Amino acid sequence: MAAPFFSTPFQPFVYQSPQDAVTPFQILGSEAQIVQIMLKPQEKVIAKPGTMCYMSGSVQMENVYAPENEAGVLQWLFGKTVTSIVLQNKGSADGFIGIAAPSLARIIPIDLAIFGGEMLCQADAFLCSINDVKINNTVDPRARNAIASAEGFLRQKISGQGLAFVVGGGSVVQKNLDVGEVLSVDVSSIVALPASVNVQIKYNGPMRRVVFGGENLVTAVLTGPGIVFIQSMPFHRLSQRIARSVTSPNMRENPKFFLQIAIFFFLAYVVIVSSLILTDI
């Protein structure tokens, strides 16, 4: 069953767990990548729902509730999933699975044992994991804590001693900060960083500009030591630009738009005035 790995021009990486178990994997593609993992009998992979692209016939998939998810019901109310999928090789021979990035993103393998067993990531950055990995998602409804610390914007904490795969939009840069080295990064461009990196939030201008301004108004000042993963195209920024291009009117493309807006406000005015007159009568 090793053929799917060596039939491509890319040689597989090898992950060795603390228990000396060896798991080969490949990251295929460039813009929208797929991680292909070989599973020995009874081995399993935990993945984000909806990311399974293909799997061998001996692999079975099960949707389970993630008890370590601290956000639980609150996260579900906000439209987030609170389950994970378990892909386990039930056969007697080696099998394989392909897990796809949910958008135009790069897949980053992170060995948590190298980072002290814990990483803070952007929300929804987790893709899948091998061995002992736990994912905690937090949702803080208090506005004052929205961007008050690293946990304010890095909503996902990945912990354990296994191998985790996270996704970053566009191109991904890995920056190794020395002790005391300082790096300023746009908040939305941070994919993941370890607990050894100190994070301070800086507002670039008065609060009125932060509220009514555009992008790059909130910066994270990072102080080493530690490795930081930075993405060039955060998904929310990409989705906003797509939405603007689809919904934003253009006078040459839709010259009747402002006339339609004027008619709408005129009709609303008529309805309000009529209701007031009828109420007085």
Side-chain angles (χ1 to χ4, degrees):
M1 298 302 294
F5 288 89
F6 297 99
S7 62
T8 66
F10 302 97
Q11 293 299 314
F13 299 99
V14 174
Y15 165 68
Q16 185 171 358
S17 71
Q19 294 78 24
D20 293 330
V22 176
T23 304
F25 68 91
Q26 272 185 308
I27 297 178
L28 307 176
S30 54
E31 287 78 16
Q33 294 186 325
I34 295 176
V35 56
Q36 188 171 247
I37 304 171
M38 178 179 286
L39 296 179
K40 295 179 181 178
Q42 304 309 313
E43 280 189 338
K44 63 182 180 181
V45 167
I46 309 297
K48 185 177 178 181
T51 58
M52 195 282 294
C53 186
Y54 55 86
M55 59 185 180
S56 60
S58 61
V59 177
Q60 295 184 11
M61 182 172 58
E62 182 182 3
N63 198 319
V64 298
Y65 175 73
E68 65 272 10
N69 194 323
E70 297 175 354
V73 176
L74 182 58
Q75 187 181 9
W76 177 76
L77 291 175
F78 278 95
K80 302 291 184 179
T81 180
V82 293
T83 61
S84 299
I85 57 174
V86 177
L87 300 156
Q88 186 172 16
N89 183 12
K90 299 287 188 177
S92 58
D94 292 345
F96 60 89
I97 59 171
I99 306 295
S103 60
L104 298 177
R106 300 272 182 167
I107 299 177
I108 311 167
I110 297 178
D111 190 348
L112 293 174
I114 300 177
F115 296 94
E118 182 177 308
M119 289 286 286
L120 292 175
C121 305
Q122 285 277 4
D124 297 328
F126 172 79
L127 181 66
C128 63
S129 64
I130 303 172
N131 208 10
D132 177 29
V133 176
K134 293 184 178 180
I135 307 96
N136 291 334
N137 297 283
T138 59
V139 176
D140 193 340
R142 294 170 293 182
R144 66 177 182 274
N145 293 337
I147 311 182
S149 63
E151 291 79 3
F153 62 92
L154 297 176
R155 294 291 189 185
Q156 203 166 62
K157 182 171 70 173
I158 302 175
S159 58
Q161 295 297 315
L163 181 68
F165 295 91
V166 299
V167 293
S171 300
V172 176
V173 176
Q174 176 180 320
K175 177 63 175 176
N176 192 354
L177 299 178
D178 296 328
V179 177
E181 184 178 356
V182 178
L183 178 68
S184 296
V185 184
D186 179 69
V187 165
S188 62
S189 296
I190 300 177
V191 180
L193 51 80
S196 60
V197 176
N198 181 50
V199 181
Q200 292 183 344
I201 304 302
K202 177 182 177 182
Y203 294 95
N204 302 321
M207 185 57 64
R208 65 179 182 274
R209 295 182 186 175
V210 175
V211 175
F212 298 104
E215 300 174 349
N216 296 122
L217 293 173
V218 182
T219 302
V221 180
L222 312 179
T223 305
I227 296 178
V228 182
F229 297 94
I230 304 170
Q231 60 185 348
S232 65
M233 180 57 68
F235 178 73
H236 81 89
R237 186 183 300 169
L238 175 63
S239 61
Q240 286 177 357
R241 292 182 179 178
I242 293 176
R244 289 172 188 170
S245 65
V246 172
T247 60
S248 297
N250 188 303
M251 282 298 293
R252 284 179 290 184
E253 296 177 357
N254 187 11
K256 297 186 292 183
F257 175 78
F258 289 104
L259 177 61
Q260 294 169 350
I261 292 295
I263 294 174
F264 172 80
F265 281 107
F266 174 77
L267 293 177
Y269 172 79
V270 171
V271 171
I272 294 174
V273 172
S274 301
S275 63
L276 293 175
I277 294 176
L278 293 176
T279 302
D280 292 338
I281 295 176

